[in-house]
Amino acid sequence: NCNFDNGDTCSYQNGAGQFNWAVNRGPTTSSGTGPSSDVSGRGFYLYIETSSPRQFGDKATILTPYLNGPQCMKFYYHMYGGDIEVLNIYANNQTIFSRAGNQGNRWVGVETPILQFGRYMVKFEGVRGRSFQGDIAIDAISFTPGNCSFQTPTPSTSRPTNPPTASTNPPTQAGRCNFDQGDLCSFTNGANDDFDWTVHSGSTSSLNTGPSRDVSGNGNLPIVSYYLNY
C-alpha cells in the first residue's frame, strides 16, 4: 500500500519503458494538464510528465512488490488534459483496468478485484499522448486480500478521511455500469470499427426504433448512434 506521502515510490519499482513515473507535490510543470494537488490536497502523488523529450506512444511502467492470491485493489487516478492517452493496469500480463482520454480535472476513485493466484506483481502503465497535455497521476493505492466490498476507497489514516468532494467520483466497479453518470464507466470504444456506442437519456432521435428510456425509467442508456460528417 502506498500514498507516496514520504516523497518516494514506497517499494514500487519503475519497469521497462521510455521514461519513468515520478513523485510530485502540487501542480505539475505543464499548464492545462495534471492535478493541482494529491487526493488529500496536501500530500504527494505519482505521475507521468509528458513534456519534451517525451513522444507520442512513449510508455512509463511501475511495478508493485509481489502480491499473493486474490486481492481487492483500490486507488485514485487523475487524467486531465487535451491529449491524455491511456492508463493501463496489469496483473500477470492480464489487463485489470484501462481508462483512456480526458476524464476531467478531478480525482476518481476505483475499486476492482484481482482474481489471480500465486505470486504476481501489479504493473501500472502510463502512455504519452500527442502533446505535453497528457499528464496522468495515481494516488492512495491499497491492496486487501480477498474480494472487494465495492465501497469508496479512502486514503490512508495520514490523510483526511473524506477527500475533497468536488474532485472525487464514486468508485468504478470493473465490468459493472448502469451509465447513469452519463459516461461509459471503464468501458472503451474499440478502434477497428465504423462508429461508436454512445450514452443517451430518453428516446433516440429515430422514429419507431430504440428505447424511450433506460431500464429504470429515469437514467441513461447506452445506444448506438451515428451521423454523416464532412
Side-chain angles (χ1 to χ4, degrees):
N1 298 347
C2 189
N3 61 16
F4 309 104
D5 284 349
N6 288 326
D8 59 28
T9 60
C10 305
S11 52
Y12 292 27
Q13 297 292 325
N14 278 296
Q18 288 74 40
F19 65 117
N20 290 336
W21 290 83
V23 175
N24 193 51
R25 186 174 189 172
T28 68
T29 59
S30 305
S31 62
T33 188
S36 58
S37 67
D38 80 332
V39 71
S40 75
R42 63 186 185 187
F44 291 82
Y45 57 87
L46 195 66
Y47 88 113
I48 60 168
E49 173 56 59
T50 56
S51 298
S52 179
R54 302 280 66 84
Q55 297 181 355
F56 175 65
D58 282 358
K59 296 177 181 179
T61 63
I62 194 165
L63 295 96
T64 68
Y66 278 102
L67 300 167
N68 284 287
Q71 302 279 332
C72 180
M73 179 178 70
K74 301 178 184 180
F75 71 100
Y76 285 85
Y77 70 81
H78 190 286
M79 299 174 66
Y80 169 60
D83 285 304
I84 295 290
E85 187 65 12
V86 64
L87 170 66
N88 297 314
I89 305 176
Y90 305 95
N92 270 351
N93 295 319
Q94 295 184 4
T95 303
I96 58 174
F97 179 86
S98 183
R99 180 57 59 91
N102 185 0
Q103 304 299 314
N105 191 7
R106 58 183 180 173
W107 285 99
V108 182
V110 176
E111 178 177 347
T112 188
I114 305 175
L115 304 179
Q116 297 287 333
F117 294 90
R119 295 177 77 234
Y120 59 91
M121 292 184 289
V122 172
K123 179 172 70 175
F124 294 81
E125 177 187 76
V127 184
R128 201 259 195 188
R130 296 188 179 278
S131 81
F132 68 90
Q133 290 188 325
D135 294 351
I136 296 172
I138 53 178
D139 198 10
I141 304 169
S142 68
F143 298 93
T144 304
N147 211 336
C148 293
S149 60
F150 294 113
Q151 297 176 356
T152 303
T154 56
S156 71
T157 54
S158 65
R159 303 174 171 207
T161 55
N162 294 313
T165 56
S167 61
T168 59
N169 262 5
T172 298
Q173 300 179 15
R176 303 183 184 185
C177 188
N178 63 11
F179 309 103
D180 285 348
Q181 299 297 319
D183 60 23
L184 293 173
C185 305
S186 57
F187 292 65
T188 57
N189 279 295
N192 298 318
D193 54 16
D194 301 307
F195 59 107
D196 288 340
W197 290 84
T198 63
V199 175
H200 187 72
S201 182
S203 301
T204 68
S205 59
S206 303
L207 186 65
N208 295 328
T209 186
S212 60
R213 57 181 176 83
D214 80 332
V215 70
S216 73
N218 55 13
N220 292 297
L221 187 75
I223 63 168
V224 179
S225 66
Y226 54 92
Y227 57 90
L228 192 63
N229 188 28
Y230 70 93

